Amino acid sequence: LCELCVPGNACLDDDDCTGTCVDNVCLEQFEAPEGLGDTNVFVGDSFIHHHDGVAWERSELEFPQTNINDIFGFSPANVYAAGLAGAGPTWDLVHYDGNNWNIELEDISRINNIWGSSPNSIYAAGDLGESDIILYYDGNQWLDMPLGIDFSGSSRIIGMAGSSEDNIYATVRIGGQSDDMIIHYDGNSWAEVDLGVGNFGLDPLELGPVWVFDDGQVYATTGNILEEAGDFAFGHGSLLHYNGVQWVL
């Protein structure tokens, strides 16, 4: 946190800290922004903040152990968020109905991503555990959805997005030295995406967030160490792009 907050202006202190003033507190960096039109924006740190086009309002629901991992919504009265609410290792999934934030699920595994094609079809994923499952909301209840894919080592979903109910992509971080993986849901089942021979020379393949567009274009970030020299490692980030026919770097 910066030390000096000038409401309506940037945050400043002796170290030239920059950030944003919210509720007279300087926040250096917001996590998981979600914009719902021009006049509704939700962002999270250890609280969830909502800007209605006029002013910022901070929720009373606090996540003291961590920042909010992700926020996803369909309207200003239908927003989901995930974060570590208590002192233990379990996470909560919360829902905003336009007036209040309420706990939707508690004491669950870490959630990194929330995405849905409609208010009656929502996916929440993060640490996969030994059973390799994610959470799915069918409009009435949250259910376990087995991925049906055998991941080697500990794994977690680190990015998830889609363009429709039958076109959803996720990036999976595989523990150890294994390459990360992109998986795809066609409305019936999840399957590993074939990126081609050698993963474009990226060894190991390390993936980040994924974006999916209505025209079939898909982008996923990579971040790989390309060269090591003594105590230093040099790397760069790239974009994997699916153009509707093949994946290219």
Side-chain angles (χ1 to χ4, degrees):
L1 293 182
C2 306
E3 296 178 358
L4 176 63
C5 182
V6 181
N9 210 327
C11 304
L12 299 171
D13 67 5
D14 293 339
D15 296 323
D16 293 327
C17 175
T18 60
T20 304
C21 290
V22 175
D23 300 325
N24 292 322
V25 174
C26 284
L27 300 174
E28 295 182 67
Q29 182 177 3
F30 280 129
E31 299 292 336
E34 173 71 355
L36 300 172
D38 295 334
T39 58
N40 278 281
V41 178
F42 292 82
V43 295
D45 50 10
S46 56
F47 291 90
I48 302 173
H49 306 262
H50 174 213
H51 195 279
D52 61 4
V54 177
W56 286 98
E57 180 180 5
R58 188 179 73 179
S59 70
E60 295 183 359
L61 188 65
E62 183 179 7
F63 294 78
Q65 301 300 318
T66 186
N67 286 347
I68 302 298
N69 258 14
D70 199 17
I71 302 174
F72 184 85
F74 297 96
S75 74
N78 190 7
V79 183
Y80 292 86
L84 181 63
T90 58
W91 292 64
D92 286 354
L93 182 69
V94 297
H95 177 255
Y96 183 65
D97 60 10
N99 295 302
N100 301 296
W101 286 96
N102 300 295
I103 294 177
E104 189 91 352
L105 294 172
E106 57 184 343
D107 296 334
I108 57 177
S109 298
R110 177 189 178 107
I111 296 295
N112 292 326
N113 301 99
I114 309 167
W115 184 85
S117 60
S118 74
N120 295 324
S121 184
I122 306 170
Y123 302 80
D127 289 347
L128 295 175
E130 295 181 358
S131 54
D132 293 331
I133 61 173
I134 64 174
L135 297 173
Y136 173 68
Y137 181 68
D138 64 1
N140 295 305
Q141 60 183 330
W142 287 93
L143 304 168
D144 288 344
M145 173 183 275
L147 294 177
I149 301 173
D150 184 18
F151 300 104
S152 59
S154 60
S155 55
R156 67 181 186 272
I157 301 289
I158 54 176
M160 182 170 57
S163 61
S164 66
E165 181 59 28
D166 57 3
N167 188 36
I168 305 171
Y169 287 84
T171 48
V172 186
R173 173 64 45 79
I174 308 296
Q177 297 299 313
S178 299
D179 289 327
D180 290 348
M181 183 186 301
I182 298 178
I183 59 176
H184 177 254
Y185 184 65
D186 63 4
N188 295 303
S189 61
W190 291 90
E192 181 180 358
V193 172
D194 183 7
L195 298 178
V197 178
N199 289 334
F200 306 100
L202 302 176
D203 184 21
L205 175 65
E206 297 178 348
L207 296 169
V210 60
W211 295 267
V212 183
F213 296 89
D214 292 340
D215 62 358
Q217 307 287 313
V218 183
Y219 293 86
T221 62
T222 72
N224 292 78
I225 296 175
L226 301 182
E227 180 180 353
E228 295 186 10
D231 294 330
F232 298 94
F234 302 91
H236 77 159
S238 303
L239 276 177
L240 285 178
H241 175 213
Y242 180 66
N243 57 22
V245 178
Q246 62 180 349
W247 287 88
V248 296
L249 182 64

